[in-house]
Each structure stands twice: as structure tokens, then as C-alpha cells.
Amino acid sequence: TAPEVSQMFGEMIGLWCVDAWERLGRPAAFRLVEIGPGRGTLMKDALRAARVAPAFIAAAAVDLVEVSPTLRALQTAALADARTGGGISWHAELGSVPAGPLILAANELLDALPIHQYQRTLAGWRERLVDVAADGAFRFVLSDPSSSDPITLPEAFSGAPIGAIVEVSPAAQALIEDIARRLTAAHGIALFIDIGRSESAPAETLQAVRSHAGHPVLDAPGTADLSAYVDFAVLRQVARAAGAQTFGPVTQGQFLQALGIELRASRLKTGKTPDAAGAIDVALRRLVDADQMGAMFKVMAIAEPSLAALAGFGEVW
């Protein structure tokens, strides 16, 4: 993931959070929330960079939303030296994070939430389901044509050709709606970075990765990471319907470059050996280049309606 590629990623997010806090009017106490914090690398780097603003650190209470005991242990170790005014707490769900102003960040969260797949046939849209073949292996099948469609598909899919597959994530939509309502009521901003599309389009993007390589989606369930592209267009609509304002999506490359990641890379290379400086350049290119993570990953922010602008976004959508 991007935080593991280079410390620069988390540092840019940390500085963005400081800027967001300034735009919120520098609340004297606020929740700095990360959902799905992985090994704790992003938050560790973000807090280190945010030390340039001592008042931000003093006002922050860090809340990590994590259900895995194993990952909680890794996060505890990563953040052992982190100090904030409100301390660090762990939660099994966002709903248990205390009320109040908040700045929320989530990297590679939405693509891991469950999806439904639908395929267009001559008989209309039919859901793709998982069945067990005669030999005991899992396989994809289509639902009965007479079964009712439980999910309303976006209008953008209405002209999809026969055979097209579309993906919908009610779980992601519900999470975004919940966050948008909270931001609107409690004064706050949320940042999402994920692999996905800016506009809705038919596509089968469900994939499995095991040991850093592609893996058949239905083979050896539980041994590979599953993900699907995020439909940012739908999530943008959900957030707005809940009363919030949205910024982006923009590409990860555009976002990080607007925040000054290239200047940070230049300063990190100062005094380094040629090999170490070269490694920083490689990491930078991985994060921002269009043929690597720079274009594939998108960045979107959700905020209370009163904010006019946010760092890293060229315009308000």
C-alpha cells in the first residue's frame, strides 16, 4: 500500500490534516480518525509530519477503527512513541468514536468492502452468485430471471450492452452516508484514497491478490485479499444527498503533487548516498506516475457544507 511504499505518503496526509484543521477554525479539541489503519504506518508518519503544528497535536485525540487484534497490536507498536493531547484509542466501529469535530482518513478501505455483481442478459439484469459445482469447487452462476432485483442500479448502467457486468457496493454507500451525516452535524472533513473510477462504468473489477500476485477469486477462500474498484461517482452522490459537500475525485498523483511531495522528496535526498537517493526517486514515481499508482488511485474528500476549498483539489464538484 502507499504508506508502505514511502514515508512521504503519510507525511503528505499528515500535513493535509493540519491544513484541514486550520480550515475548520482550529478547534481546541477534535477527533483524528483513521478507518482500517493497517500496520499503523500512515498514522505514524502523519503524526510525525504534523509536529510542525504543536497546537494541532495538542488538540488531537486519535481514534483508530480496527477489528483485528493482530493489526491492533502492530498499530500499538508503530505508535508507541506518538503523543497527542487526547491520546490514542481503538474502536470496533465508527459509531463508537466520541462525538465532536473530526478529521477522518481512510486509505484502501472502500475497495475492500463487499460488492454485488450484476450481469445484463436478454432477460434483464441478473445477479452473479456463488455456487458449488459437482466436483466441489466454487463457481459463478446467475440468479433466476424471475427473482426481483434487490438493488437499484445507477442510471449510468442503463445503456450497458448484453453481457456487461456491473458492480455495486451497498456497504460502501452506507458507510459514506453515515460519515457524511456525521460531518454535516459535527463539523468535520473526511479523506478517502482508493483504487477506483471517477465515473460509473460497467466493468468486472473484482480481484484477488495473494503473495503480491493475482489469484483466482474463488480458489482457497480466506487465503487472498479481495478487492473491487470504487465507484466514486456514486459515493459522491450519496454524500451530497446526505447534506455534505464533496471535493474531487482527483488522481493520487495530482493530489500528492499539489501538496508538494516532489519538494519533500528533494529534501529527503539531501545528504543521502546515490543509492538511497535513487530509492526515494523510485518511491516517488511509484506514488505519482500515471503508469503506476498515480492515476489508478483516486482521492475524494467529504466535508461540511460551509467549506469553500480544500488543499489538493483544484475545484469543488
Side-chain angles (χ1 to χ4, degrees):
T1 63
E4 308 295 337
V5 170
S6 169
Q7 69 183 70
M8 295 183 289
F9 182 84
E11 289 171 347
M12 292 298 103
I13 301 305
L15 296 178
W16 184 90
C17 288
V18 172
D19 181 81
W21 175 70
E22 295 274 0
R23 293 172 190 268
L24 288 173
R26 298 169 59 95
F30 74 100
R31 320 302 305 193
L32 180 60
V33 181
E34 184 179 3
I35 306 179
R39 296 181 177 88
T41 306
L42 188 154
M43 184 59 72
K44 177 186 69 175
D45 293 338
L47 289 175
R48 185 180 62 254
R51 290 175 188 165
V52 299
F56 172 91
I57 295 295
V62 175
D63 295 284
L64 302 178
V65 180
E66 178 61 67
V67 296
S68 166
T70 300
L71 289 178
R72 284 194 182 195
L74 293 175
Q75 294 154 16
T76 300
L79 298 170
D81 297 327
R83 298 291 183 271
T84 64
I88 302 175
S89 303
W90 277 262
H91 308 268
E93 58 184 16
L94 180 62
S96 65
V97 174
L102 78 155
I103 297 172
L104 182 150
N107 179 63
E108 295 198 42
L109 166 73
L110 301 174
D111 72 330
L113 297 180
I115 64 166
H116 293 255
Q117 283 188 337
Y118 294 89
Q119 186 167 356
R120 189 165 197 176
T121 71
L122 292 173
W125 289 103
R126 296 170 63 182
E127 186 170 6
R128 294 186 85 201
L129 307 173
V130 178
D131 188 26
V132 181
D135 62 0
F138 290 112
R139 63 177 181 177
F140 285 113
V141 297
L142 295 179
S143 62
D144 190 304
S146 63
S147 64
S148 59
D149 183 358
I151 296 177
T152 301
L153 299 179
E155 182 65 26
F157 298 146
S158 61
I162 299 301
I165 293 174
V166 303
E167 297 170 337
V168 183
S169 178
Q173 293 179 33
L175 177 62
I176 292 297
E177 180 178 14
D178 181 36
I179 291 172
R181 293 190 185 283
R182 177 161 181 165
L183 295 176
T184 301
H187 201 49
I189 305 171
L191 186 72
F192 298 91
I193 306 119
D194 236 308
I195 188 169
R197 291 185 169 86
S198 297
E199 300 299 335
S200 301
E204 180 182 6
T205 69
L206 178 64
Q207 62 179 339
V209 176
R210 181 180 180 184
S211 300
H212 305 288
H215 181 78
V217 171
L218 297 182
D219 285 5
T223 66
D225 290 329
L226 299 179
S227 67
Y229 276 33
V230 176
D231 188 336
F232 282 102
V234 167
L235 299 185
R236 193 169 63 221
Q237 293 170 2
V238 168
R240 289 174 175 176
Q245 181 178 189
T246 64
F247 297 81
V250 298
T251 68
Q252 178 176 292
Q254 291 171 325
F255 181 75
L256 294 175
Q257 288 172 319
L259 296 183
I261 193 171
E262 290 173 331
L263 177 60
R264 177 56 178 155
S266 177
R267 292 186 175 176
L268 278 178
K269 291 191 294 182
T270 302
K272 296 291 194 300
T273 65
D275 285 348
I280 292 171
D281 285 333
V282 169
L284 174 65
R285 301 271 66 87
R286 174 127 178 93
L287 290 173
V288 305
D289 280 5
D291 61 350
Q292 298 198 51
M293 299 177 73
M296 187 179 302
F297 283 77
K298 307 296 189 301
V299 185
M300 183 179 77
I302 303 173
E304 59 180 63
S306 63
L307 289 180
L310 285 176
F313 299 94
E315 61 179 304
V316 181
W317 288 58

